[in-house]
């Protein structure tokens, strides 16, 4: 499982690195040479969305997202376990519904013919990649929920 999570982390990191490179190149070309990098904004915007969706999968698995745990801190062992299971179940349900909605919209998004402003690149592959990131969130959420139910007190990360 750790191999899979590392691969998801790397995918998110690669997309985030490409966003940083695009922005850097765009700034250098614009201010250094008065030349615009075609579709830099559209590409960086879409790639950032992909990086966020794939990064959410890792944060969900590791429990590395922002949490307010005042109630969890004062709860006993069984209370903490119940809160963990409830939180994982809600997270799993949310990501499942989000993934379902995204994949149900995918055919109409593909048929819409939306393209980037300057290069005319189709937008649907970015949408598909982000949707796959949400699907990865569903998978790791189910695994984390399974761990919370079957391995009390054990951490995923």
């Amino acid at each position: 499982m750790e191999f899979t999570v590392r691969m998801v982390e790397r995918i998110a990191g690669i997309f985030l690195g490409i966003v940083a490179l695009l922005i850097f190149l765009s700034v250098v070309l614009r201010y250094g040479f008065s030349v615009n990098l075609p579709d830099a904004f559209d590409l960086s915007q879409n790639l950032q969305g992909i990086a966020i969706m794939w990064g959410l999968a890792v944060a969900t698995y590791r429990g590395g997202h922002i949490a307010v745990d005042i109630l969890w801190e004062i709860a006993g062992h069984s209370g903490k376990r119940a809160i963990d299971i409830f939180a994982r179940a809600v997270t799993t349900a949310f990501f499942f519904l989000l993934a379902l909605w995204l994949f149900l919209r995918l055919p109409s998004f593909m048929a819409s013919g939306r393209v980037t402003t300057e290069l005319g690149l189709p937008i649907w592959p970015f949408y598909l990649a982000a949707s796959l990131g949400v699907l990865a969130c569903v998978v790791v959420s189910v695994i984390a929920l399974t761990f919370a139910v079957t391995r009390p007190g054990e951490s995923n990360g």
Side-chain angles (χ1 to χ4, degrees):
M1 185 62 207
E2 278 302 312
F3 173 77
T4 304
V5 172
R6 276 196 309 275
M7 293 309 296
V8 170
E9 266 177 337
R10 287 186 179 135
I11 290 169
I14 287 168
F15 282 113
L16 197 56
I18 293 170
V19 169
L21 182 63
L22 272 172
I23 292 170
F24 174 77
L25 286 175
S26 179
V27 169
V28 168
L29 289 174
R30 183 181 314 127
Y31 294 111
F33 302 100
S34 296
V35 175
N36 281 332
L37 186 62
D39 274 340
F41 177 75
D42 288 337
L43 291 173
S44 61
Q45 184 180 16
N46 286 302
L47 292 172
Q48 186 175 15
I50 294 169
I52 289 169
M53 293 305 176
W54 284 87
L56 276 173
V58 176
T60 299
Y61 178 74
R62 297 206 190 282
H65 43 73
I66 298 171
V68 178
D69 57 1
I70 295 170
L71 180 61
W72 190 85
E73 285 292 330
I74 61 173
H77 179 70
S78 60
K80 287 179 181 179
R81 183 165 186 250
I83 292 170
D84 287 343
I85 290 171
F86 176 76
R88 296 288 187 181
V90 169
T91 301
T92 302
F94 170 78
F95 283 130
F96 174 78
L97 292 173
L98 180 59
L100 180 65
W101 181 77
L102 289 171
F103 280 102
L104 288 175
R105 283 190 35 112
L106 186 59
S108 66
F109 202 79
M110 290 172 70
S112 74
R114 290 186 58 197
V115 294
T116 60
T117 307
E118 297 169 333
L119 296 177
L121 300 172
I123 300 289
W124 72 264
F126 298 102
Y127 187 90
L128 174 62
S131 299
L132 291 173
V134 176
L135 184 61
C137 290
V138 173
V139 171
V140 297
S141 293
V142 168
I143 292 168
L145 178 60
T146 303
F147 283 169
V149 171
T150 62
R151 302 176 185 177
E154 192 173 312
S155 173
N156 296 345

